[in-house]
Amino acid sequence: MKLINIVSCLEDGNVIECGGNALEAYQGILEAIEAGEITPEATLVYLVTPMPLKAGLLQILRAHKPGASEKLTITGIMNEIASVKGETWVFMDHFEDLTEKAALKYLWLHENGNVNYMAAINGTMRAEVGSFYSTFQRLNPHECLDDEAIDVTWAFMAFMSILMALAYFKVGLDYGILITGALWFALIAFRTMNYILR
């Protein structure tokens, strides 16, 4: 079911899976093609990471033209990809590695060449890639942090640390332990939660 959903989304545009793995989707689609279950009109390409930009673009181009030269400029590679007649589906992991410049180049290919992306994000992306990210349909929107979402991790950890410090301080007042111990405990609690949540 998920595979059919990904193929359907790729036929319409870009798709992203938060906390997922694009390699699994890529391999699943290849297996479905070999089994004759689906017959997409697209060339499939898998990128472990979208960075470095030139290497990723060259890999996309070589899916269509295996002998493409490494001496081509980024602009030259992009023009070659845009001139390809068929559709290309690019599967990329580590969407969070994208820089603003790379995101704009990949976005240009989506808008000017027949390139659609299936990406997986497993971390926090840079805010500058938001224009590219906004072109993606989310497979699992409840796990994606969008512009409207607020990450409260740090606030929660700080609040819990203060609560623990106050509880420790109360015990310290009852039994004569110094406030320094409470503050030290709060720091240890904060660092421990930070370690656990990462």
Side-chain angles (χ1 to χ4, degrees):
M1 177 64 179
K2 179 180 169 185
L3 200 61
I4 294 169
N5 191 19
I6 291 171
V7 170
S8 174
C9 291
L10 280 169
E11 288 172 346
D12 296 334
N14 298 331
V15 61
I16 195 162
E17 184 175 11
C18 301
N21 186 340
L23 179 59
E24 289 177 8
Y26 172 74
Q27 290 172 335
I29 291 174
L30 283 180
E31 289 171 7
I33 290 171
E34 288 174 8
E37 297 170 8
I38 58 172
T39 55
E41 300 291 325
T43 301
L44 278 61
V45 181
Y46 173 72
L47 304 178
V48 175
T49 178
M51 301 301 294
L53 175 61
K54 186 173 182 178
L57 293 175
L58 196 55
Q59 192 170 344
I60 295 169
L61 178 60
R62 285 186 175 158
H64 296 282
K65 300 178 180 178
S69 172
E70 289 184 24
K71 294 181 181 179
L72 288 169
T73 63
I74 289 176
T75 305
I77 296 170
M78 290 174 61
N79 289 331
E80 288 281 330
I81 294 170
S83 69
V84 170
K85 298 289 183 217
E87 197 173 334
T88 307
W89 292 352
V90 178
F91 296 79
M92 64 171 74
D93 280 316
H94 304 290
F95 186 84
E96 65 275 7
D97 291 346
L98 271 176
T99 62
E100 180 181 13
K101 177 184 173 186
L104 291 173
K105 302 289 186 193
Y106 285 118
L107 177 60
W108 185 89
L109 282 177
H110 173 65
E111 293 171 344
N112 298 295
N114 295 318
V115 180
N116 288 340
Y117 303 94
M118 192 285 171
I121 184 168
N122 288 300
T124 306
M125 68 176 188
R126 294 174 175 88
E128 303 87 45
V129 303
S131 60
F132 185 40
Y133 178 73
S134 66
T135 66
F136 285 82
Q137 179 180 346
R138 286 109 182 120
L139 276 181
N140 50 350
H142 59 281
E143 293 183 31
C144 296
L145 284 178
D146 291 333
D147 294 339
E148 302 86 35
I150 299 171
D151 186 6
V152 294
T153 306
W154 287 99
F156 174 75
M157 289 189 307
F159 177 72
M160 290 303 294
S161 298
I162 291 168
L163 257 154
M164 289 178 189
L166 290 174
Y168 193 78
F169 184 63
K170 170 79 169 106
V171 170
L173 286 177
D174 290 345
Y175 297 103
I177 300 173
L178 298 174
I179 192 170
T180 310
L183 295 175
W184 183 251
F185 182 78
L187 176 65
I188 291 171
F190 182 83
R191 290 186 62 201
T192 302
M193 284 186 286
N194 187 26
Y195 176 77
I196 290 169
L197 292 175
R198 286 185 172 209

